[in-house]
Amino acid sequence: MKLLNKIKTFDAYPKTVEDFRIRTTSGAAISILAGIFIVWLFVSEFAYYLQTEVNSELFVDTTRGEKLRINFDLTFHSMACTFLSVDAMDMTGAHQLDVDHNIFKTRISREGLPISEAVEKQELGDKSAEIETQQQAVKDPNYCGSCYGSEEYAGQCCNTCEEVQEAYRKKSWSFSNPEGIEQCVRDGFTKKLKDQKGEGCKIYGYLLVNKVAGNFHFAPGKSFQQNHMHVHDLGVFKSGGFNMSHTINKLSFGIEFPGLVNPLDGVSKSWNAEGSPMYQYFIKIVPTIYRSMSSSVISTNQFSVTEYVKKLDQDDGHGLPGVFMVYDLSPIMVRFTETQKSFAHFLTGICAIIGGVFSVAGIIDSFVYHSLRSFSKKVELGKAN
């Protein structure tokens, strides 16, 4: 018993006799409000505990030899798919080599509705190594089509419109009169140009390029290299201007991760003036690593962008109408890491909430009780007005 009595001296919460306790209406109201406030704070703290925190770090990017994946989905409202081509170039102006790509085109009306369900696959840049002789439309197996003066050697045959265009390209000639080319008339090239005039085009897919500064662009005409310069042959399009009005439905570099914001998604540009526009988007790519709670790692990229549009007059020989995405790589890498708050931190917060609310509620109750008691005494003495 003596031991128990000694232990009782350590009781930090001495109790008063029940008969000496006074319960008041104001104290009950304050207690109820304090309980509701504690429940609300508890729910808020619990919701905060369940949330995942994302911590960020900055450091120098030392990775090498990686590829850069470019995902895009654009709609050109007044540029037909036949007119439109896609090219990827590095910072020197040369075509990117060993570019893996998967690009598709869909014809659409001016209202943005698909004209047909057919999807055309788009090839990149110089196609001279990919052209094969297509003689299925030629009944005579001994047929040898003319190259119209662009032969590289005696006896060379150009049996398709595409082979004639390629021969012209190698000679750096302008391909401006497809109506006078037998193969183009037979293959329906001129009919395709007339049929698709006034249409729009939805072009989408991805490019997998070397991780160096460069650009990729969407422009009318077949592209080729001439005197180490990138040139588009616009001779076949007898038009006073090219309307490059477009909507960027999607543009990203790499795999998406939670919280990623691509600043060009949904951006729309309309051109109603004379001449042809040259839209330029200058993009700064920031390499990014995202490490999730499950320890999976996503290597991707974020980017910021500025833009500029230039009007090209018909007689202006400088500049090419189109949409140009000029990108550069930041030397700084960002790493995001998901973390979970500790349970001990959660318990500490709950104890602080309960203790703090009860302490403040006790102070308020004491103040109200003594104020009311003092006021009632004055009333009894007749001193209150």
Side-chain angles (χ1 to χ4, degrees):
M1 293 296 294
K2 292 182 178 181
L3 179 61
L4 289 176
N5 291 330
K6 288 184 178 181
I7 293 176
K8 288 180 181 180
T9 59
F10 293 98
D11 186 3
Y13 308 100
K15 284 73 178 176
T16 57
V17 180
E18 187 70 26
D19 295 338
F20 292 98
R21 292 182 182 177
I22 301 175
R23 300 184 184 276
T24 62
T25 304
S26 61
I30 293 173
S31 298
I32 293 172
L33 292 176
I36 295 173
F37 193 52
I38 287 173
V39 172
W40 178 69
L41 290 179
F42 173 81
V43 173
S44 301
E45 183 69 16
F46 185 68
Y48 180 68
Y49 167 70
L50 294 179
Q51 290 179 355
T52 301
E53 283 188 338
V54 179
N55 300 319
S56 60
E57 302 173 81
L58 298 177
F59 54 93
V60 177
D61 183 11
T62 58
T63 58
R64 293 183 298 173
E66 293 185 352
K67 292 284 188 176
L68 178 65
R69 181 183 174 107
I70 305 172
N71 309 297
F72 60 86
D73 182 351
L74 283 83
T75 299
F76 289 86
H77 306 288
S78 303
M79 180 62 59
C81 291
T82 300
F83 297 3
L84 203 59
S85 65
V86 185
D87 287 286
M89 304 170 62
D90 61 24
M91 61 187 303
T92 65
H95 274 95
Q96 285 264 28
L97 301 177
D98 302 324
V99 176
D100 184 17
H101 62 280
N102 204 23
I103 305 172
F104 299 95
K105 295 178 180 177
T106 302
R107 294 169 58 191
I108 61 173
S109 64
R110 285 187 178 273
E111 293 75 25
L113 302 176
I115 294 177
S116 67
E117 296 182 357
V119 177
E120 175 188 349
K121 186 165 184 178
Q122 164 75 39
E123 300 298 335
L124 267 185
D126 187 352
K127 298 180 247 181
S128 59
E130 302 177 12
I131 295 179
E132 298 179 358
T133 305
Q134 302 173 3
Q135 295 186 352
Q136 60 271 21
V138 183
K139 302 301 181 183
D140 184 4
N142 298 319
Y143 172 80
C144 181
S146 171
C147 293
Y148 299 88
S150 60
E151 298 88 350
E152 290 186 287
Y153 55 87
Q156 179 181 354
C157 299
C158 294
N159 294 343
T160 66
C161 181
E162 190 172 6
E163 290 181 350
V164 176
Q165 292 183 66
E166 186 63 23
Y168 270 55
R169 184 196 68 78
K170 290 181 178 179
K171 287 283 188 179
S172 299
W173 292 358
S174 175
F175 189 74
S176 58
N177 186 28
E179 295 88 351
I181 307 290
E182 174 195 354
Q183 295 89 325
C184 293
V185 175
R186 186 192 65 224
D187 294 350
F189 179 77
T190 54
K191 183 176 183 300
K192 185 186 291 186
L193 290 178
K194 293 178 181 178
D195 291 346
Q196 295 191 17
K197 189 174 183 180
E199 293 180 0
C201 184
K202 178 182 174 69
I203 183 165
Y204 57 94
Y206 73 84
L207 299 170
L208 197 62
V209 300
N210 296 321
K211 198 173 179 180
V212 294
N215 80 80
F216 63 99
H217 56 268
F218 308 85
K222 183 180 175 66
S223 64
F224 57 91
Q225 295 283 332
Q226 182 180 26
N227 299 326
H228 304 289
M229 294 182 62
H230 182 75
V231 181
H232 280 244
D233 184 5
L234 305 180
V236 69
F237 309 118
K238 297 179 174 61
S239 173
F242 297 93
N243 189 337
M244 301 304 298
S245 298
H246 63 278
T247 298
I248 303 175
N249 306 310
K250 192 73 176 176
L251 180 66
S252 62
F253 296 84
I255 306 171
E256 293 193 3
F257 62 88
L260 175 64
V261 177
N262 296 315
L264 284 179
D265 287 0
V267 171
S268 184
K269 300 294 181 182
S270 180
W271 182 261
N272 299 313
E274 295 182 356
S276 302
M278 179 181 182
Y279 292 99
Q280 294 176 297
Y281 296 93
F282 298 95
I283 297 171
K284 177 67 74 171
I285 299 175
V286 181
T288 303
I289 295 176
Y290 192 91
R291 189 185 301 273
S292 66
M293 289 287 297
S294 60
S295 298
S296 62
V297 178
I298 300 175
S299 295
T300 183
N301 302 277
Q302 304 177 87
F303 69 93
S304 61
V305 63
T306 56
E307 56 187 71
Y308 173 74
V309 59
K310 177 183 178 183
K311 178 183 177 182
L312 304 176
D313 295 324
Q314 187 174 355
D315 299 330
D316 189 359
H318 303 285
L320 174 69
V323 176
F324 291 77
M325 306 290 183
V326 184
Y327 58 88
D328 194 6
L329 296 165
S330 170
I332 301 299
M333 177 176 280
V334 180
R335 178 166 57 205
F336 294 109
T337 305
E338 291 184 351
T339 58
Q340 181 68 53
K341 301 175 187 67
S342 67
F343 187 69
H345 182 275
F346 170 69
L347 287 181
T348 303
I350 295 302
C351 293
I353 289 172
I354 296 174
V357 172
F358 268 118
S359 298
V360 174
I363 294 172
I364 295 174
D365 177 60
S366 178
F367 174 78
V368 172
Y369 172 73
H370 289 291
S371 298
L372 292 176
R373 186 179 179 185
S374 175
F375 181 76
S376 62
K377 285 183 177 181
K378 289 182 180 181
V379 171
E380 290 176 0
L381 297 175
K383 294 181 179 180
N385 295 327

